[in-house]
Amino acid sequence: MNLKILLLLLIGTFVISHKQSSTITEPAQQERFDIEKDLLLPQFDCKTDVDDLHSVAAFKTLVTYSDFSKINYHAVAGTYGMQKGLYVPANMLFELAFGNNWTDAHENRAAAIEKVKKLAKKTLRKGGDVWIAEAGQSDFSAKLIRAIQQELPQIDMARRIHIVQHSDWNEEVTTTEDLQFVKQTIDYIKIPDGNAVGNGTPGFRSPAFTNWAAKISDPKLRELWQLAVDLGNTYNGKEGRYLNKAISNGGLDFSDLSETCWILGLESVTDTAAFFEQYID
């Protein structure tokens, strides 16, 4: 055989073998949230829409499920921006859902920043990322990130801290400089609105989903959802608060959970019925 032809055959065999090997050993796409080391901060504005109350119950339901029971999380209430209207007091609900694992930013924002900052710093120093499910505005997040940045200037904020936001309205009532800051400083991710179905993320606003109690066998979860629904009915549209028609019709609205679902890679959970079927035993 001609030496030149032999060399070409050997080179071709090597290239094919190398491509096959690369395909086989190529790592799978990296998951967003690393359950072993990341921190999840579900933040609820609770002003003035009562959908946050249903979202609290839905979040607790999700992290009670076996696949997500080891998630490191800390809830924050009162992370509102510059919107007008009355706050929806829901301390009783947060205490039932999270025990001591939540912070009241409505009562004392400075103290809340200090407390959550310590948790975030601990995660970052151990090599984990911080994920903020922004069920509200970014004012609290901006202050938190500035505080972390001041104490940990070496951290690559754009790679290690993530905000997931689903609502145009939430952005509109965030203080302008705070919204600009988070978008320019960290990994800011805008996903499709969780109030709608079929847009790529779960839609959890369901006026017709009224038989939720029949779906829940766990007495603790049933108690939690009942309290969320009762408080929602107590404050929905009252004293100038936003009137959530899905809730006034007897249905559910936990649209803010869409961000947590995105963080955990659960976009395939299409709507409220699918959520209850999948994550409530």
Side-chain angles (χ1 to χ4, degrees):
M1 181 181 293
N2 185 289
L3 181 60
K4 184 176 182 180
I5 295 174
L6 179 60
L7 287 171
L8 289 173
L9 288 172
L10 290 172
I11 291 171
T13 301
F14 172 77
V15 170
I16 292 171
S17 175
H18 178 69
K19 286 183 177 180
Q20 289 175 339
S21 176
S22 297
T23 302
I24 292 170
T25 59
E26 185 177 355
Q29 183 178 0
Q30 184 178 4
E31 294 183 358
R32 293 163 188 158
F33 186 86
D34 188 335
I35 198 170
E36 298 296 328
K37 58 182 182 180
D38 290 354
L39 172 66
L40 178 57
L41 297 174
Q43 298 184 171
F44 304 93
D45 64 329
C46 300
K47 184 181 178 181
T48 68
D49 192 348
V50 296
D51 64 343
D52 284 18
L53 309 184
H54 291 192
S55 297
V56 165
F59 180 86
K60 178 61 176 182
T61 298
L62 190 60
V63 296
T64 300
Y65 189 72
S66 57
D67 288 359
F68 308 116
S69 60
K70 294 183 179 179
I71 285 178
N72 180 25
Y73 73 89
H74 185 81
V76 188
T79 59
Y80 45 79
M82 60 181 185
Q83 70 264 44
K84 297 179 180 179
L86 294 178
Y87 184 68
V88 178
N91 286 22
M92 186 186 306
L93 178 67
F94 277 85
E95 289 169 2
L96 182 61
F98 307 122
N100 294 324
N101 192 27
W102 72 284
T103 295
D104 188 352
H106 172 68
E107 181 67 24
N108 190 328
R109 180 157 293 199
I113 292 291
E114 186 65 24
K115 181 177 178 180
V116 179
K117 178 190 67 176
K118 290 179 180 179
L119 297 173
K121 285 170 57 181
K122 182 179 180 180
T123 294
L124 293 167
R125 282 172 170 159
K126 289 185 176 181
D129 287 7
V130 176
W131 293 84
I132 300 173
E134 198 79 277
Q137 297 73 49
S138 295
D139 296 59
F140 181 88
S141 297
K143 290 177 176 59
L144 173 64
I145 293 163
R146 289 187 181 102
I148 296 171
Q149 193 176 46
Q150 184 175 2
E151 296 189 19
L152 297 178
Q154 74 278 15
I155 294 293
D156 185 350
M157 297 286 174
R159 189 173 63 86
R160 303 285 303 284
I161 300 180
H162 319 268
I163 286 179
V164 181
Q165 173 63 264
H166 84 109
S167 168
D168 290 339
W169 185 82
N170 282 343
E171 291 186 325
E172 291 168 4
V173 292
T174 297
T175 302
T176 302
E177 62 182 21
D178 286 339
L179 183 60
Q180 291 175 345
F181 172 76
V182 296
K183 285 186 173 183
Q184 295 169 359
T185 306
I186 53 89
D187 178 29
Y188 185 93
I189 303 154
K190 180 71 180 298
I191 64 171
D193 198 309
N195 287 285
V197 175
N199 59 9
T201 57
F204 293 138
R205 185 178 187 275
S206 307
F209 197 89
T210 59
N211 63 334
W212 57 268
K215 306 288 185 180
I216 306 174
S217 58
D218 185 321
K220 291 183 178 180
L221 283 181
R222 192 185 304 117
E223 179 187 9
L224 178 65
W225 278 97
Q226 188 64 64
L227 180 58
V229 168
D230 289 346
L231 285 173
N233 293 337
T234 297
Y235 292 104
N236 189 25
K238 303 298 172 55
E239 299 181 280
R241 293 180 178 87
Y242 174 77
L243 177 64
N244 187 313
K245 293 183 179 179
I247 291 175
S248 65
N249 287 340
L252 298 180
D253 183 353
F254 51 98
S255 50
D256 287 319
L257 190 73
S258 62
E259 297 145 342
T260 295
C261 287
W262 189 92
I263 291 168
L264 300 178
L266 306 179
E267 295 101 317
S268 61
V269 183
T270 54
D271 56 19
T272 301
F275 176 82
F276 271 74
E277 181 178 352
Q278 180 69 32
Y279 296 111
I280 296 184
D281 298 327

